[in-house]
Amino acid sequence: ALAASPNTTASLTALPALRAPFAGGIFAGITTIKDGTHCAVALLPDQGSNLDHPAATQWAEALGGTLPTRPVAAMLFANLKDQLRTGWHWTCEQDEDDASYAWFCFFDSGFQDYTREFCAGSAVAVRLIPLNS
């Protein structure tokens, strides 16, 4: 499950401009995770390639981040397209009907679909920083 980075928070009023350095990456925008927590999103600098879904998940966690959700992947495409390699990149979301499939996002078009988890694709990692008032 997608969770915010532990022991770190940010103030909404102290967030940088989009595309500015933030939390070890680049500030990409704000999202709300399933538990209702509003989080600032930092795109981490490394990009993985030739990874199946489980390996991509582990790769992102090793960087201190997570694979993006489908909405966060769409936000990355909208706000930081020039920072992303083209082609498809894994999200953290598995298909709700068949867990052997996971969702991905094409960062050249924004199109999202799902494929088998054993397929080799690219990955980006994000860090989610909870916002406090």
Side-chain angles (χ1 to χ4, degrees):
L2 191 64
S5 296
N7 305 323
T8 306
T9 61
S11 166
L12 182 62
T13 57
L15 290 176
L18 278 177
R19 308 172 59 75
F22 176 71
I26 300 170
F27 181 56
I30 297 172
T31 191
T32 303
I33 60 176
K34 286 187 179 186
D35 72 2
T37 302
H38 304 300
C39 296
V41 178
L43 172 66
L44 299 181
D46 294 331
Q47 296 190 34
S49 58
N50 201 30
L51 301 167
D52 65 17
H53 192 259
T57 300
Q58 291 174 342
W59 169 84
E61 290 171 357
L63 294 176
T66 184
L67 295 175
T69 60
R70 291 173 62 204
V72 168
M75 181 173 61
L76 294 174
F77 174 74
N79 294 342
L80 299 178
K81 183 178 177 182
D82 65 331
Q83 301 293 315
L84 305 166
R85 283 191 296 221
T86 59
W88 66 272
H89 293 66
W90 290 113
T91 74
C92 66
E93 297 183 40
Q94 291 178 307
D95 180 60
E96 51 191 50
D97 296 324
D98 186 344
S100 69
Y101 286 77
W103 285 87
F104 61 84
C105 181
F106 275 99
F107 284 143
D108 44 353
S109 66
F111 175 77
Q112 295 187 5
D113 203 352
Y114 56 91
T115 191
R116 294 192 98 15
E117 286 195 326
F118 63 73
C119 293
S122 296
V124 296
V126 295
R127 185 168 290 139
L128 302 177
I129 309 298
L131 296 173
N132 56 37
S133 51

